[in-house]
Amino acid sequence: MIPYGRQDITEADIAAVTEVLRSDFLTQGPAVPRFEQAVADYCGAAYAVAVNSATSALHLACLALDLGPCDWLWTSPNTFVASANCARYCGALVDFVDIDPRTYNLSASALAAKLEQAERIGRLPKVVLPVHFAGQSCDMRAIDVLAKRYGFRVLEDASHAIGGRYEDMPIGSCRYSDISVFSFHPVKIITTGEGGMALTNHEELTRRMVRLRSHGITRDPAEMTQTPDGPWDYQQIELGFNHRMTEIQAALGFSQLQRLDDYVRRRHVLADAYDDLLKDLPLQRPYRNPDHASALHLYPVQVEQNRRVIFESLRHAGIGVNVHYIPVHTQPYYRQLGFKLGDYPEAEAYSARAISLPLFPRLSDDELLTVVTAVREQF
Ligand SMILES: *Cc1c(COP(=O)(O)O)cnc(C)c1O
């Protein structure tokens, strides 16, 4: 089976991991801060906080932004469930903004319309969480204008998007947001096995996320709320978690980061080949904004009809196609909260016709032709 996505592990990665295994620290050593600094430098952000998954990073980010019970977080229905679940962990309420049918990203104009309505009924969101679907940035400039006008915070779910760009900056720079989050799951752009990272330009948000990552404990006397007992003292000043990344993961991530630009370049070569070899078929290829380079995590096509038959027959041919995504609001958990089919028609229409074709750096030219041949046989 050719999967839709998979990691690339080199001898250099294996050597980097082995070196950590022979070192003094498997956790809480020098590899995590080195990886954090390298990603922050790459993205042009001031601070980075590494954690054990993007889900954990989203959770800590919501807490750092003071999202709590009675607050609203708005996100896209066309995402992985973690983008919405992070608000529920904080006891907050979730609502969705429909997608732009061209980019499949949260629509800035739908957001503007929904904000206008929400202001009238006094139900404005505290946090808006745009998701850079398939690695292509949302319209961050427009979202930033709305954030300033309506006073909400912006948390970018950039799980798909490390290595992509917006305007003249890497995604993750946080030029138009408070916090950006990356995922290092093996199907994503670079991997640490499990892992994630939150980037920000705010020192105070960094301090909160660092503390919440490790039980809510501080060793900084300036943060302590009781007079320190002695040089051994640590104080738990709030309820945190163990969301830490290990040294093993960080060493793998640092090694992978050295190949990030090569990975994204290869993804572009493969997507260009799909664009060319599928252009005469009656299917919708993914739109790529020429002004902002996508990280190209996914290559989702839309078929006009027979999605189920085509999907099954591709799977049968050994092509590990997938659907990104089943709209979050149609999941049983979210239906139970009151959402229903029909709430976000653009996301639903896209999802009903979507098939993600395999796209990852190690996909060979021959494998790509196998995929193309199998797809062409469907029409
Ligand atoms: C993968 C993904 C996540 C969750 O990432 P983990 O690192 O697996 O927790 C969150 N949001 C989006 C959009 C994702 O694709």
Side-chain angles (χ1 to χ4, degrees), residues 284-344:
Q284 184 69 46
R285 288 170 282 112
Y287 167 77
R288 276 192 268 164
N289 188 325
D291 297 335
H292 312 287
S294 172
L296 279 172
H297 168 51
L298 299 170
Y299 192 89
V301 298
Q302 284 190 83
V303 295
E304 280 160 24
Q305 53 197 8
N306 297 333
R307 198 267 302 267
R308 174 184 294 271
V309 175
I310 294 169
F311 187 96
E312 279 173 348
S313 124
L314 288 172
R315 277 279 176 97
H316 196 73
I319 316 296
V321 286
N322 243 291
V323 172
H324 297 94
Y325 285 95
I326 298 163
V328 177
H329 68 283
T330 67
Q331 295 290 348
Y333 173 80
Y334 284 93
R335 286 188 197 232
Q336 203 184 289
L337 295 177
F339 296 100
K340 57 188 189 311
L341 209 60
D343 284 350
Y344 304 98

Coordinates of all heavy atoms in Angstrom, one line a residue, residues 284-344:
Q284 N -11.3 18.2 -9.5 CA -10.8 19.6 -9.0 C -9.5 19.4 -8.3 O -9.4 18.7 -7.3 CB -11.9 20.2 -8.1 CG -11.5 21.6 -7.6 CD -11.7 22.6 -8.7 OE1 -12.6 22.6 -9.5 NE2 -10.7 23.4 -8.8
R285 N -8.4 19.9 -8.9 CA -7.1 19.8 -8.2 C -7.0 21.0 -7.2 O -7.7 22.0 -7.3 CB -6.0 20.0 -9.3 CG -5.9 18.7 -10.1 CD -5.0 18.9 -11.4 NE -5.6 19.6 -12.4 CZ -5.3 20.8 -12.9 NH1 -4.3 21.5 -12.3 NH2 -6.0 21.4 -13.9
P286 N -6.1 20.8 -6.2 CA -6.1 21.8 -5.1 C -5.5 23.2 -5.6 O -4.5 23.2 -6.4 CB -5.2 21.2 -4.1 CG -4.4 20.1 -4.8 CD -5.3 19.7 -5.9
Y287 N -6.2 24.2 -5.3 CA -5.7 25.6 -5.6 C -4.5 25.9 -4.8 O -4.4 25.7 -3.6 CB -6.8 26.6 -5.3 CG -6.4 28.0 -5.4 CD1 -6.2 28.7 -6.6 CD2 -6.1 28.7 -4.2 CE1 -5.7 30.0 -6.6 CE2 -5.7 30.1 -4.2 CZ -5.5 30.7 -5.4 OH -5.0 32.0 -5.5
R288 N -3.5 26.5 -5.5 CA -2.3 27.0 -4.8 C -2.2 28.5 -5.0 O -2.0 28.9 -6.1 CB -1.1 26.3 -5.2 CG -0.9 25.0 -4.5 CD 0.5 24.4 -4.8 NE 0.5 23.5 -6.0 CZ 1.6 23.1 -6.6 NH1 2.8 23.6 -6.2 NH2 1.5 22.3 -7.6
N289 N -2.2 29.3 -3.9 CA -2.0 30.7 -4.0 C -0.6 31.0 -4.4 O 0.4 30.6 -3.7 CB -2.3 31.3 -2.7 CG -2.4 32.8 -2.7 OD1 -1.6 33.5 -3.5 ND2 -3.3 33.5 -2.0
P290 N -0.4 31.7 -5.6 CA 1.0 31.9 -6.1 C 1.8 32.9 -5.2 O 3.0 32.9 -5.2 CB 0.8 32.5 -7.5 CG -0.6 33.1 -7.5 CD -1.4 32.2 -6.5
D291 N 1.1 33.6 -4.3 CA 1.8 34.6 -3.5 C 2.3 34.1 -2.2 O 3.2 34.7 -1.5 CB 0.8 35.8 -3.1 CG 0.3 36.5 -4.4 OD1 1.1 36.5 -5.4 OD2 -0.8 37.1 -4.3
H292 N 1.8 32.9 -1.7 CA 2.3 32.4 -0.4 C 2.6 30.9 -0.6 O 1.6 30.1 -0.7 CB 1.1 32.6 0.6 CG 0.5 34.0 0.6 ND1 1.2 35.0 1.2 CD2 -0.6 34.4 0.2 CE1 0.4 36.1 1.0 NE2 -0.7 35.8 0.4
A293 N 3.8 30.5 -0.5 CA 4.2 29.1 -0.8 C 3.6 28.2 0.3 O 3.9 28.4 1.5 CB 5.7 29.0 -0.8
S294 N 2.9 27.2 -0.2 CA 2.4 26.2 0.7 C 3.4 25.2 1.1 O 4.4 25.0 0.4 CB 1.2 25.4 0.0 OG 0.8 24.3 0.8
A295 N 3.3 24.6 2.3 CA 4.2 23.5 2.7 C 3.7 22.2 2.1 O 4.4 21.2 2.1 CB 4.2 23.3 4.3
L296 N 2.5 22.2 1.5 CA 2.0 21.1 0.7 C 2.0 19.8 1.5 O 2.5 18.7 1.1 CB 2.7 20.9 -0.6 CG 2.3 21.8 -1.7 CD1 3.2 21.7 -2.9 CD2 0.8 21.5 -2.1
H297 N 1.3 19.8 2.7 CA 1.1 18.6 3.5 C 0.3 17.6 2.8 O 0.5 16.4 2.8 CB 0.5 19.0 4.8 CG 0.0 17.8 5.6 ND1 0.8 16.7 5.9 CD2 -1.2 17.6 6.2 CE1 0.1 15.9 6.6 NE2 -1.1 16.4 6.8
L298 N -0.8 18.1 2.1 CA -1.8 17.2 1.4 C -2.0 17.6 0.0 O -1.8 18.7 -0.4 CB -3.1 17.3 2.2 CG -3.2 16.9 3.6 CD1 -4.5 17.3 4.2 CD2 -2.9 15.4 3.8
Y299 N -2.4 16.6 -0.8 CA -2.9 16.9 -2.2 C -4.3 16.4 -2.3 O -4.6 15.2 -2.8 CB -2.0 16.2 -3.2 CG -2.2 16.7 -4.6 CD1 -1.5 17.8 -5.1 CD2 -3.1 16.1 -5.4 CE1 -1.8 18.3 -6.4 CE2 -3.4 16.5 -6.7 CZ -2.7 17.6 -7.2 OH -2.9 18.1 -8.5
P300 N -5.3 17.2 -1.9 CA -6.7 16.7 -1.9 C -7.3 17.1 -3.3 O -7.3 18.2 -3.7 CB -7.4 17.5 -0.8 CG -6.5 18.7 -0.6 CD -5.2 18.5 -1.2
V301 N -7.9 16.1 -3.9 CA -8.7 16.4 -5.1 C -10.2 16.2 -4.8 O -10.5 15.5 -3.9 CB -8.3 15.5 -6.3 CG1 -6.8 15.6 -6.7 CG2 -8.6 14.0 -6.0
Q302 N -11.0 16.9 -5.6 CA -12.5 16.7 -5.5 C -13.0 16.0 -6.8 O -12.7 16.5 -7.9 CB -13.2 18.0 -5.3 CG -13.0 18.7 -4.0 CD -14.0 19.9 -3.9 OE1 -15.1 19.7 -3.6 NE2 -13.4 21.0 -4.1
V303 N -13.8 14.9 -6.6 CA -14.4 14.3 -7.7 C -15.8 14.7 -7.8 O -16.5 14.9 -6.7 CB -14.2 12.7 -7.6 CG1 -12.7 12.3 -7.7 CG2 -14.8 12.2 -6.3
E304 N -16.4 14.8 -9.0 CA -17.7 15.3 -9.2 C -18.8 14.3 -8.7 O -19.8 14.7 -8.2 CB -18.0 15.7 -10.6 CG -17.4 17.0 -11.0 CD -17.2 17.3 -12.5 OE1 -17.9 16.6 -13.3 OE2 -16.3 18.1 -12.8
Q305 N -18.5 13.0 -8.9 CA -19.4 12.0 -8.5 C -18.7 10.7 -8.2 O -17.5 10.5 -8.4 CB -20.5 11.7 -9.6 CG -19.9 11.4 -10.9 CD -20.9 11.6 -12.1 OE1 -22.0 12.1 -11.9 NE2 -20.5 11.2 -13.3
N306 N -19.4 9.7 -7.6 CA -18.9 8.4 -7.3 C -17.7 8.4 -6.4 O -16.8 7.6 -6.6 CB -18.5 7.7 -8.6 CG -19.7 7.4 -9.6 OD1 -20.8 7.3 -9.1 ND2 -19.4 7.4 -10.9
R307 N -17.7 9.3 -5.4 CA -16.5 9.3 -4.6 C -16.3 8.0 -3.9 O -15.1 7.5 -3.8 CB -16.7 10.4 -3.5 CG -15.4 10.8 -2.9 CD -15.0 10.1 -1.6 NE -16.1 10.3 -0.6 CZ -16.1 11.3 0.3 NH1 -15.1 12.1 0.4 NH2 -17.0 11.3 1.2
R308 N -17.3 7.3 -3.4 CA -17.1 6.0 -2.7 C -16.5 5.0 -3.6 O -15.6 4.3 -3.2 CB -18.5 5.5 -2.1 CG -18.4 4.1 -1.5 CD -19.7 3.6 -1.0 NE -20.2 4.4 0.1 CZ -20.0 4.2 1.4 NH1 -19.3 3.2 1.7 NH2 -20.5 5.0 2.3
V309 N -17.0 4.9 -4.8 CA -16.5 3.8 -5.7 C -15.1 4.1 -6.1 O -14.2 3.2 -6.0 CB -17.4 3.8 -7.0 CG1 -16.8 2.9 -8.1 CG2 -18.8 3.5 -6.7
I310 N -14.8 5.4 -6.3 CA -13.4 5.7 -6.7 C -12.5 5.5 -5.5 O -11.4 4.9 -5.7 CB -13.3 7.2 -7.2 CG1 -14.1 7.4 -8.5 CG2 -11.9 7.7 -7.3 CD1 -14.3 8.8 -8.9
F311 N -12.9 5.9 -4.3 CA -12.1 5.7 -3.1 C -11.8 4.2 -2.9 O -10.6 3.8 -2.7 CB -12.8 6.3 -1.9 CG -12.1 6.3 -0.6 CD1 -11.4 7.4 -0.2 CD2 -12.0 5.2 0.2 CE1 -10.6 7.5 0.9 CE2 -11.2 5.2 1.4 CZ -10.6 6.3 1.7
E312 N -12.8 3.4 -3.0 CA -12.7 2.0 -2.7 C -11.8 1.3 -3.8 O -10.9 0.5 -3.5 CB -14.0 1.3 -2.7 CG -14.7 1.4 -1.3 CD -16.1 0.9 -1.3 OE1 -16.7 0.6 -2.3 OE2 -16.7 0.8 -0.1
S313 N -11.9 1.8 -5.0 CA -11.2 1.1 -6.1 C -9.7 1.6 -6.0 O -8.8 0.8 -6.3 CB -11.9 1.4 -7.4 OG -11.1 2.0 -8.3
L314 N -9.4 2.8 -5.5 CA -8.0 3.2 -5.3 C -7.4 2.4 -4.2 O -6.2 2.0 -4.3 CB -7.9 4.7 -5.1 CG -8.2 5.6 -6.3 CD1 -8.3 7.1 -5.9 CD2 -7.1 5.4 -7.4
R315 N -8.1 2.3 -3.1 CA -7.6 1.5 -2.0 C -7.3 0.0 -2.4 O -6.3 -0.5 -2.1 CB -8.7 1.4 -0.8 CG -8.6 2.7 0.1 CD -7.5 2.5 1.1 NE -7.4 3.7 1.9 CZ -8.0 3.8 3.2 NH1 -8.7 2.9 3.7 NH2 -7.8 4.9 3.8
H316 N -8.2 -0.5 -3.3 CA -8.1 -1.8 -3.8 C -6.8 -2.0 -4.6 O -6.1 -3.0 -4.7 CB -9.3 -2.2 -4.6 CG -9.4 -3.7 -4.9 ND1 -9.8 -4.6 -3.9 CD2 -9.2 -4.4 -6.0 CE1 -9.8 -5.8 -4.4 NE2 -9.4 -5.7 -5.7
A317 N -6.5 -0.9 -5.3 CA -5.3 -0.8 -6.2 C -4.0 -0.6 -5.4 O -2.9 -0.4 -5.9 CB -5.5 0.2 -7.3
G318 N -4.1 -0.5 -4.0 CA -3.0 -0.3 -3.2 C -2.6 1.1 -3.0 O -1.4 1.4 -2.6
I319 N -3.5 2.0 -3.2 CA -3.2 3.5 -3.0 C -3.9 3.9 -1.7 O -5.1 3.8 -1.6 CB -3.8 4.4 -4.2 CG1 -3.5 3.7 -5.6 CG2 -3.3 5.8 -4.1 CD1 -2.1 3.6 -5.9
G320 N -3.1 4.3 -0.7 CA -3.7 4.6 0.6 C -4.3 6.0 0.7 O -4.0 6.8 1.5
V321 N -5.4 6.2 -0.2 CA -6.1 7.4 -0.2 C -6.8 7.6 1.2 O -7.0 6.7 1.9 CB -7.1 7.5 -1.3 CG1 -6.3 7.7 -2.6 CG2 -8.0 6.3 -1.4
N322 N -7.2 8.9 1.4 CA -7.8 9.3 2.7 C -8.7 10.4 2.4 O -8.7 11.0 1.4 CB -6.7 9.7 3.7 CG -6.7 8.8 4.9 OD1 -7.7 8.8 5.7 ND2 -5.7 8.0 5.0
V323 N -9.6 10.8 3.4 CA -10.4 12.0 3.3 C -10.0 13.0 4.4 O -10.0 12.6 5.6 CB -11.9 11.7 3.5 CG1 -12.7 12.9 3.6 CG2 -12.4 10.8 2.3
H324 N -9.5 14.1 4.0 CA -9.2 15.2 4.9 C -10.1 16.4 4.6 O -9.9 17.1 3.7 CB -7.7 15.7 4.8 CG -6.8 14.6 5.1 ND1 -6.3 13.7 4.1 CD2 -6.3 14.2 6.3 CE1 -5.4 12.9 4.7 NE2 -5.4 13.1 6.0
Y325 N -11.1 16.7 5.5 CA -11.4 16.0 6.7 C -12.9 15.7 6.7 O -13.7 16.3 6.0 CB -11.1 16.9 7.9 CG -9.6 17.0 8.2 CD1 -8.9 18.0 7.7 CD2 -9.0 16.0 9.0 CE1 -7.5 18.1 8.0 CE2 -7.7 16.0 9.2 CZ -6.9 17.1 8.7 OH -5.6 17.2 9.0
I326 N -13.4 14.8 7.5 CA -14.8 14.7 7.9 C -15.1 16.0 8.7 O -14.4 16.2 9.7 CB -15.1 13.4 8.7 CG1 -14.7 12.2 7.8 CG2 -16.5 13.4 9.1 CD1 -14.6 10.9 8.6
P327 N -16.0 16.8 8.3 CA -16.2 18.1 9.1 C -16.4 17.8 10.6 O -17.2 17.0 11.0 CB -17.5 18.7 8.4 CG -17.5 18.1 7.0 CD -16.9 16.7 7.2
V328 N -15.7 18.6 11.4 CA -15.6 18.3 12.8 C -17.0 18.4 13.4 O -17.4 17.6 14.3 CB -14.7 19.3 13.5 CG1 -14.7 19.1 15.1 CG2 -13.3 19.1 13.0
H329 N -17.9 19.3 12.9 CA -19.2 19.5 13.5 C -20.1 18.3 13.3 O -21.2 18.2 14.0 CB -19.8 20.8 13.1 CG -20.2 20.8 11.6 ND1 -19.3 20.9 10.6 CD2 -21.4 20.6 11.0 CE1 -20.0 20.8 9.4 NE2 -21.2 20.6 9.7
T330 N -19.8 17.4 12.4 CA -20.6 16.3 12.1 C -20.2 15.0 12.9 O -20.8 14.0 12.8 CB -20.6 15.9 10.6 OG1 -19.3 15.4 10.2 CG2 -21.0 17.1 9.7
Q331 N -19.1 15.2 13.7 CA -18.7 14.0 14.6 C -19.7 13.8 15.7 O -20.3 14.8 16.1 CB -17.3 14.4 15.2 CG -16.2 14.4 14.2 CD -15.8 13.1 13.6 OE1 -16.2 12.1 14.1 NE2 -15.0 13.2 12.6
P332 N -20.0 12.6 16.1 CA -21.0 12.3 17.1 C -20.8 13.2 18.3 O -21.8 13.8 18.8 CB -20.8 10.9 17.4 CG -20.1 10.3 16.2 CD -19.3 11.4 15.6
Y333 N -19.6 13.4 18.8 CA -19.4 14.3 20.0 C -19.9 15.7 19.8 O -20.6 16.3 20.7 CB -17.9 14.3 20.4 CG -17.6 15.2 21.5 CD1 -17.8 14.9 22.8 CD2 -17.1 16.5 21.2 CE1 -17.6 15.8 23.8 CE2 -16.8 17.4 22.2 CZ -17.1 17.0 23.6 OH -16.8 17.9 24.6
Y334 N -19.7 16.3 18.6 CA -20.1 17.6 18.3 C -21.6 17.7 18.0 O -22.2 18.7 18.3 CB -19.2 18.3 17.3 CG -17.9 18.7 17.9 CD1 -16.8 17.8 17.9 CD2 -17.7 19.8 18.7 CE1 -15.6 18.1 18.5 CE2 -16.5 20.2 19.3 CZ -15.5 19.3 19.3 OH -14.3 19.6 19.9
R335 N -22.1 16.7 17.4 CA -23.6 16.7 17.2 C -24.3 16.7 18.5 O -25.4 17.3 18.6 CB -24.0 15.4 16.4 CG -23.6 15.5 14.9 CD -24.2 14.3 14.1 NE -23.6 14.2 12.9 CZ -24.2 14.1 11.7 NH1 -25.5 14.2 11.7 NH2 -23.6 13.9 10.6
Q336 N -23.7 16.0 19.4 CA -24.3 15.9 20.8 C -24.3 17.3 21.4 O -25.2 17.6 22.3 CB -23.4 15.0 21.6 CG -24.0 14.3 22.8 CD -22.8 13.5 23.4 OE1 -22.3 12.5 22.9 NE2 -22.3 14.1 24.5
L337 N -23.4 18.2 21.0 CA -23.4 19.5 21.5 C -24.4 20.4 20.7 O -24.5 21.6 21.0 CB -22.0 20.1 21.4 CG -20.9 19.4 22.3 CD1 -19.6 20.1 22.0 CD2 -21.3 19.6 23.8
G338 N -25.1 19.9 19.7 CA -26.1 20.7 19.0 C -25.8 21.0 17.5 O -26.7 21.5 16.8
F339 N -24.6 20.6 17.0 CA -24.3 20.9 15.6 C -25.0 19.8 14.8 O -25.3 18.7 15.2 CB -22.8 20.9 15.4 CG -22.1 22.0 16.1 CD1 -21.4 21.7 17.3 CD2 -22.1 23.3 15.6 CE1 -20.8 22.8 18.0 CE2 -21.5 24.3 16.2 CZ -20.8 24.0 17.4
K340 N -25.3 20.2 13.5 CA -25.9 19.2 12.6 C -25.5 19.4 11.2 O -24.9 20.4 10.8 CB -27.5 19.3 12.7 CG -28.0 20.7 12.4 CD -29.4 20.9 12.7 CE -29.9 22.2 12.2 NZ -29.1 23.4 12.6
L341 N -25.8 18.3 10.4 CA -25.5 18.4 9.0 C -26.2 19.6 8.4 O -27.4 19.8 8.7 CB -25.9 17.1 8.3 CG -25.2 16.6 7.1 CD1 -23.7 16.4 7.4 CD2 -25.8 15.3 6.5
G342 N -25.6 20.4 7.6 CA -26.2 21.5 7.0 C -25.7 22.8 7.6 O -25.9 23.9 7.0
D343 N -25.0 22.7 8.7 CA -24.6 23.9 9.4 C -23.5 24.7 8.6 O -23.4 25.9 8.7 CB -24.0 23.6 10.8 CG -25.1 23.3 11.8 OD1 -26.3 23.6 11.5 OD2 -24.8 22.8 12.9
Y344 N -22.6 23.9 8.0 CA -21.5 24.5 7.3 C -21.4 23.9 5.9 O -20.6 23.0 5.6 CB -20.2 24.4 8.1 CG -20.3 24.9 9.4 CD1 -20.6 24.1 10.5 CD2 -20.3 26.3 9.6 CE1 -20.9 24.7 11.8 CE2 -20.6 26.9 10.9 CZ -20.9 26.0 11.9 OH -21.1 26.6 13.2

